[in-house]
């Protein structure tokens, strides 16, 4: 991702990622038994917001290795949203596990910073927002799966169709329009 972001603007890269993931696979994977609104909601949460914000955060100074750690905070957001939105019960074991995992993330992040990793505050906040978006996507997926027999691979493939156009529009609006897409053409 870091290499690609040196050449292609973040929203354009995310649009290309989801276009390449959705178009070939949709011809081989059946559409899951969920509403279009559920597919679009999941596609926006994961495609537009999670990856759009993650790539933008990395472009604005969050190193790839540190980003991979920080985005794992999605677990804590998912636990919180599931308890609040879906009324999942939190067990003592889950809370202890979350605390241990949180401590692990802090130790790994400290280690990265101690050995020279640098990050911008804006990049950090964008990756945190990407983690929250991932958690929202997890809740949407859990809600969809709770409705019956849902093929989650189909959900990922077909929801990927929702992301390219909004990401391309964001790229056009914020990343220089034709110049952003020229970078995509040059990369391919």
């Amino acid at each position: 991702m870091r290499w690609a972001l040196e050449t292609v603007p973040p929203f354009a890269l995310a649009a290309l990622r989801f276009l390449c993931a959705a178009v070939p696979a949709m011809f081989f994977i059946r559409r899951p038994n969920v509403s279009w609104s559920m597919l679009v909601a999941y596609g926006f949460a994961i495609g537009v917001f999670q990856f759009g914000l993650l790539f933008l955060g990395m472009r604005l100074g969050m190193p790839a290795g540190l980003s991979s750690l920080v985005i794992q905070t999605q677990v804590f957001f998912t636990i919180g949203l599931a308890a609040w939105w879906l009324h999942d019960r939190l067990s003592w074991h889950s809370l202890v596990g979350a605390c241990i995992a949180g401590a692990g993330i802090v130790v790994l992040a400290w280690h990265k910073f101690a050995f020279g990793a640098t990050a911008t505050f804006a990049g950090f906040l964008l990756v945190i927002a990407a983690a929250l978006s991932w958690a929202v996507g997890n809740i949407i997926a859990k809600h969809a799966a709770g409705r019956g027999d849902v093929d989650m691979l189909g959900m990922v493939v077909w929801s990927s169709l929702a992301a390219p156009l909004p990401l391309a529009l964001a790229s056009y609006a914020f990343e220089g329009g034709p110049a952003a897409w020229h970078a995509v053409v040059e990369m391919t």
Side-chain angles (χ1 to χ4, degrees):
M1 286 190 300
R2 170 52 61 200
W3 169 80
L5 286 169
E6 290 174 4
T7 310
V8 179
F11 295 137
L13 181 63
L16 189 60
R17 178 199 190 280
F18 282 92
L19 181 67
C20 290
V23 173
M26 66 182 267
F27 295 110
F28 303 102
I29 307 288
R30 279 194 352 210
R31 185 170 123 11
N33 188 23
V34 297
S35 68
W36 280 106
S37 62
M38 188 76 66
L39 287 172
V40 169
Y42 185 75
F44 265 70
I46 299 299
V48 177
F49 291 105
Q50 179 195 345
F51 277 90
L53 295 173
L54 173 64
F55 289 175
L56 182 59
M58 291 174 67
R59 182 68 172 261
L60 294 179
M62 242 341 236
L66 193 54
S67 293
S68 70
L69 288 173
V70 172
I71 198 145
Q72 295 308 316
T73 60
Q74 63 84 18
V75 171
F76 309 111
F77 290 127
T78 300
I79 291 170
L81 288 174
W84 173 64
W85 196 2
L86 301 177
H87 307 291
D88 281 4
R89 297 188 79 97
L90 294 176
S91 70
W92 175 253
H93 293 88
S94 296
L95 291 174
V96 169
C99 288
I100 292 169
I105 290 172
V106 168
V107 167
L108 289 171
W110 172 81
H111 184 269
K112 289 244 179 233
F113 280 121
F115 287 95
T118 59
T120 63
F121 188 63
F124 174 78
L125 289 179
L126 286 165
V127 174
I128 290 289
L132 178 59
S133 300
W134 187 0
V136 170
N138 289 340
I139 299 302
I140 293 168
K142 183 174 182 176
H143 181 69
R147 294 181 169 198
D149 186 27
V150 175
D151 174 26
M152 293 313 291
L153 176 60
M155 180 122 172
V156 169
V157 167
W158 283 83
S159 68
S160 293
L161 289 171
L165 182 59
L167 286 164
L169 292 173
S171 178
Y172 190 85
F174 300 113
E175 296 172 342
W181 291 102
H182 179 71
V184 169
V185 171
E186 290 294 316
M187 185 182 92
T188 55

